[in-house]
Amino acid sequence: MEAVNADEFTVEAVERALQQLYYDPDMDKKNVAQKWLTQAQASPQAWHFCWALLRPDKVPEIQFFGASTLHAKISRHWSDLPPGQLDSLRSQLITQVGQFASGPKLVLTRLCVALASLVLHVLAETWPTAVPDLLCAFQTGESVTEADGQARCLALLELLAVLPEELQSSRIPASRRSQLRSALAVDWSSVCSLLQQLLQQPDAPCPVREQVLRCVSSWLTLDIALKDSEGLLESCLALLKESELFDTAVETIVSIISQPDCQRFADSLLKVVPQVLGLQEQLKKAVQDGDMETSHGICRIAVALGETHCRTLLEQVDHWQGFQALVSMIMSCTGTPGHYPVDETSSSLTLTFWYTLQDDITSLDAERQTLYLQIYRPVYFQLVDVLLQKACFPRDEDYAVWSADDKEQFKTYRLNKTFEKEEIQLPQCMWIMQALGFLLSALPSDEILGKLLSLVTPHIQQLEKLANEPPSSANKLPIVHILGLLSDLFSTFDLNKQSERSEVMRPVQTQPHHNNPVVVVLQQAFPLIQTILSKWLNEPEVVEAVCAVFEKSLKTLLHDFAPLVTQLCELIGQMFSAYPQASALDLTRQLVHIFGCEKDLFSPIIALLELITNITMSIFQLGSRDHPDVVESFMQLHAQALRRKSDLYLSDRLDIKAVFYCGILSFKFPEAPTLKATCLLFTELISHCEQIPAVREVLQEDGKLLLQTLLEAIGGQSPRSLAEHFAEVLFSASRNCPSMLSVWLREALLPPGFPSSHLTTEHKEHFCQQILREQVSKRRMKDIVKEFALLSRGLQGTEYAANY
């Protein structure tokens, strides 16, 4: 398709371009068509031709482009709307949503997103009654059990669900976003009333109630108070008895009770406790029946309540028995019979809760602390017995048939349980240093630095003596040991936490403490650390120990670490240039996470990221197979950078295209952690295809290559346990670039026998339709990918598949 003038953006020309995009085998022509269609969407004529593309006689692909064009115009070209056309646009959109209520679902969703975008543009100023008006427009009085009534109800629920989601994903200034969030929250009572009515309607179809649950989760992002959702929560808990709605109900319940703002409503929290305790019989039966999904889901709910609101519930001393019963319920989850992860998957969910409970009890005032120590000291003795039992190996004959993946997970699980032999035999001084970190943090501020220096100076002097000696195996271990002591000390030295315990209100963004004692010590020790590295740069253990000192300090100090950032960036660059190691990448990731949005520190961080990226590119060029840990950390680093500071990739200094192709190569690695990190990178990268031109370009050029590689992995090249991570990548593509995904899928699956000889043409076509239709539920996308993986391996319908 050749370049055209603006006045040639006609309905007929758009349809020809779409035909070329979807069905022309020539990739060059497809790319030309894609670019032309992007120009067409941006043109003023798009306000007119989009409606013609939505006519009932058009095929779904054309209708979808029409709906996508509407969303693009409203979200990105709102100022182009002809004067006086707002009312017409609004009424036409509402009409179109009603007409597409029965499908195709893909088109309906895009129309709902477009209408949601329109609402966000005019809600605060010219259409404050938008939500009530839409509720009235789609509630016709027809029963949801009738076909038309159900379709209109689902369309309304789709619209309600995407409204907060569009607010979250739109490029709106923070002040405007806050204003719109408050405006939408005002309408929660009317929305909540409708949702609760549908959940309580006994003959409401399952799809309707499932969509209601999705609406609840979506609106919770508006910071809805728990006291305003009590009735809905009760209705959601009742749905746990229905197997087809169980998973979605669990997700919604966890979202409701995990809202941190719930802590302001202790009375509402106290009402939730007996409701969760009421699930114990269902939990007990699930454990007896070996129903791992049900026991896992109920355990998630109990842990979410206990872990998120532990401190608040402990403070309600008059109701200590209810919380004690909840703790006992969580203990039963920890002690779920069987071995993780083969027989059960619930016990691992509870581990963090026990640390949280311990920390919160010891942070209470003396009177309440005394009370709770009497109550919970026996509980922790019981916990030790339970964990010792859970850490035991299964019988040799049982363990022999476990998969490598299961064995690896069990090993990690045992390590997590403050029980491996090496963990038990750690020198006691490590624990003492951690305890001293807590103790020093609690001292009066004018005493801390002197006490800290008197503690660390002997160790630093010993380290200096070792650093001046020629490198040898005899002095390597003491160096690593002393660096480990400093790491443990700094990991618990937290002035911010002590301020919080002293009931001083902690600001939303942690403000740096001037002259933080740990920063003073690290600044003084920095030349010594540089000397050590100059002699031990090729020793992984020493480099890892140095990185650990900074990483643990960074995690504890947060923004207090700022004075050291520039020096540390230079040091990491020197380390990685001489000997690339994963520990240096992980430390860089922490810097990006904490300081990525700090303008004053932008320059050294992007310079470091650029250097590390270029060096890692050379590793890929020379052969990266021997460095799976470096590749894994590199993928995680760029995923973090995309999530935290995506505009880093708007400059020419970072080549996101090169990162893309490194990710393609990483999909060939057999190590599961590396593959998971690669999936995380592509999930983030695809989600920025609209904001970062280079991402969109590389997807247009080689998105098909990405999909081919992904399908090969799903089809049998990679472990089956990674299917849900691959599904995350496909879900991101379906949500963010559905038209390109449609082309990639059909072209990639065209060759016979790809990605598996077990797949028929019908299998592939069904898979394409399912993937392109699913833009709402990650859980369903994961189910689709798992089913495709089983078909590709020839395992569909086998006993193995039933347990998959």
Side-chain angles (χ1 to χ4, degrees), residues 151 168 277 338 389 450 525 609 674 688 700 763 777:
Q168 293 295 108
L277 292 175
Q389 182 64 36
L609 195 58
T674 305
H688 289 87
Q700 287 175 341
H763 288 150
S777 171

Side-chain angles (χ1 to χ4, degrees), residues 441-503:
S441 303
L443 290 175
S445 57
D446 58 346
E447 297 180 18
I448 293 177
L449 181 58
K451 298 287 187 184
L452 178 62
L453 286 173
S454 66
L455 174 63
V456 302
T457 297
H459 297 292
I460 291 178
Q461 289 175 342
Q462 177 66 15
L463 196 61
E464 190 170 15
K465 178 183 175 184
L466 291 166
N468 291 326
E469 297 175 0
S472 69
S473 57
N475 55 22
K476 181 176 78 170
L477 287 178
I479 288 175
V480 171
H481 175 67
I482 294 173
L483 290 171
L485 290 177
L486 295 176
S487 297
D488 284 296
L489 175 64
F490 297 155
S491 71
T492 56
F493 190 97
D494 189 355
L495 297 182
N496 293 316
K497 191 169 185 180
Q498 292 306 325
S499 299
E500 187 179 22
R501 288 182 176 180
S502 302
E503 298 184 0

Side-chain angles (χ1 to χ4, degrees), residues 410-446:
F410 182 60
K411 178 183 177 183
T412 304
Y413 175 82
R414 295 182 79 246
L415 281 170
N416 288 337
K417 292 179 164 52
T418 9
F419 288 104
E420 288 292 328
K421 182 178 180 182
E422 294 84 356
E423 295 292 319
I424 294 173
Q425 292 183 347
L426 278 175
Q428 291 300 309
C429 53
M430 295 284 191
W431 302 105
I432 293 172
M433 292 299 269
Q434 289 185 357
L436 287 171
F438 283 118
L439 180 61
L440 286 169
S441 303
L443 290 175
S445 57
D446 58 346

Side-chain angles (χ1 to χ4, degrees), residues 462-655:
Q462 177 66 15
L463 196 61
E464 190 170 15
K465 178 183 175 184
L466 291 166
N468 291 326
E469 297 175 0
S472 69
S473 57
N475 55 22
K476 181 176 78 170
L477 287 178
I479 288 175
V480 171
H481 175 67
I482 294 173
L483 290 171
L485 290 177
L486 295 176
S487 297
D488 284 296
L489 175 64
F490 297 155
S491 71
T492 56
F493 190 97
D494 189 355
L495 297 182
N496 293 316
K497 191 169 185 180
Q498 292 306 325
S499 299
E500 187 179 22
R501 288 182 176 180
S502 302
E503 298 184 0
V504 176
M505 183 65 73
R506 192 173 183 177
V508 175
Q509 165 129 359
T510 307
Q511 298 300 322
H513 291 83
H514 295 295
N515 300 320
N516 186 293
V518 172
V519 173
V520 173
V521 171
L522 286 174
Q523 285 175 325
Q524 293 179 2
F526 213 94
L528 173 58
I529 292 174
Q530 289 178 308
T531 301
I532 293 171
L533 282 175
S534 67
K535 296 184 176 182
W536 295 92
L537 207 49
N538 292 328
E539 283 291 336
E541 289 180 71
V542 176
V543 174
E544 286 174 11
V546 168
C547 289
V549 171
F550 289 111
E551 186 171 11
K552 291 187 177 181
S553 304
L554 185 56
K555 287 180 178 177
T556 307
L557 299 180
L558 300 177
H559 293 273
D560 285 6
F561 194 89
L564 288 162
V565 169
T566 301
Q567 280 179 289
L568 182 57
C569 286
E570 293 175 359
L571 184 66
I572 296 172
Q574 294 167 9
M575 287 192 294
F576 201 76
S577 298
Y579 192 87
Q581 286 199 70
S583 55
L585 290 168
D586 295 336
L587 181 54
T588 305
R589 177 158 51 92
Q590 288 297 327
L591 283 171
V592 171
H593 176 66
I594 296 172
F595 295 105
C597 295
E598 298 285 339
K599 292 182 180 178
D600 295 342
L601 300 171
F602 181 87
S603 181
I605 289 177
I606 192 173
L608 174 61
L609 195 58
E610 179 186 5
L611 174 66
I612 281 178
T613 300
N614 291 336
I615 293 172
T616 310
M617 297 300 174
S618 65
I619 294 176
F620 273 94
Q621 291 168 358
L622 296 172
S624 56
R625 182 62 200 91
D626 294 332
H627 306 280
D629 56 337
V630 173
V631 172
E632 176 190 349
S633 295
F634 182 70
M635 297 292 114
Q636 291 174 336
L637 169 60
H638 278 282
Q640 178 71 273
L642 281 164
R643 184 187 303 116
R644 186 73 174 151
K645 187 69 173 171
S646 60
D647 55 2
L648 289 171
Y649 300 91
L650 294 176
S651 73
D652 296 332
R653 296 176 63 181
L654 281 176
D655 189 351

Side-chain angles (χ1 to χ4, degrees), residues 9-81:
F9 290 129
T10 63
V11 177
E12 294 77 14
V14 170
E15 291 194 39
R16 286 197 302 272
L18 286 170
Q19 180 76 17
Q20 186 169 301
L21 175 67
Y22 285 123
Y23 302 111
D24 196 308
D26 189 324
M27 281 304 301
D28 291 336
K29 291 183 179 179
K30 284 180 181 291
N31 290 334
V32 170
Q34 177 71 46
K35 292 177 182 177
W36 188 91
L37 287 167
T38 302
Q39 294 174 346
Q41 281 188 322
S43 71
Q45 290 90 333
W47 288 111
H48 306 288
F49 69 63
C50 61
W51 302 111
L53 299 177
L54 286 165
R55 289 205 304 258
D57 59 332
K58 303 296 182 184
V59 296
E61 289 90 344
I62 291 177
Q63 293 173 333
F64 177 78
F65 184 79
S68 296
T69 299
L70 262 175
H71 177 240
K73 296 303 293 181
I74 294 170
S75 62
R76 297 198 290 272
H77 304 282
W78 180 251
S79 59
D80 294 346
L81 181 68

Side-chain angles (χ1 to χ4, degrees), residues 226 261-272 312-313 316:
L226 177 62
D261 197 46
C262 295
Q263 296 169 0
R264 295 196 295 115
F265 305 101
D267 290 342
S268 297
L269 273 177
L270 291 173
K271 294 177 185 176
V272 177
T312 304
L313 292 169
Q316 315 308 309

Side-chain angles (χ1 to χ4, degrees), residues 324-344:
Q324 184 188 33
L326 179 65
V327 172
S328 297
M329 182 178 179
I330 295 174
M331 178 68 81
S332 71
C333 295
T334 306
T336 303
H339 287 91
Y340 177 93
V342 175
D343 305 313
E344 59 90 11

Side-chain angles (χ1 to χ4, degrees), residues 153-207:
C153 181
L154 285 171
L156 172 59
L157 292 173
E158 180 73 16
L159 175 59
L160 291 175
V162 301
L163 194 51
E165 292 172 0
E166 182 68 7
L167 176 62
Q168 293 295 108
S169 61
S170 297
R171 288 173 285 184
I172 300 174
S175 57
R176 172 72 173 173
R177 191 186 305 277
S178 178
Q179 180 189 19
L180 290 171
R181 183 183 290 111
S182 300
L184 284 176
V186 169
D187 294 314
W188 170 244
S189 57
S190 54
V191 173
C192 180
S193 177
L194 169 67
L195 299 180
Q196 192 163 350
Q197 175 189 340
L198 289 171
L199 284 183
Q200 293 175 342
Q201 192 169 327
D203 56 350
C206 182

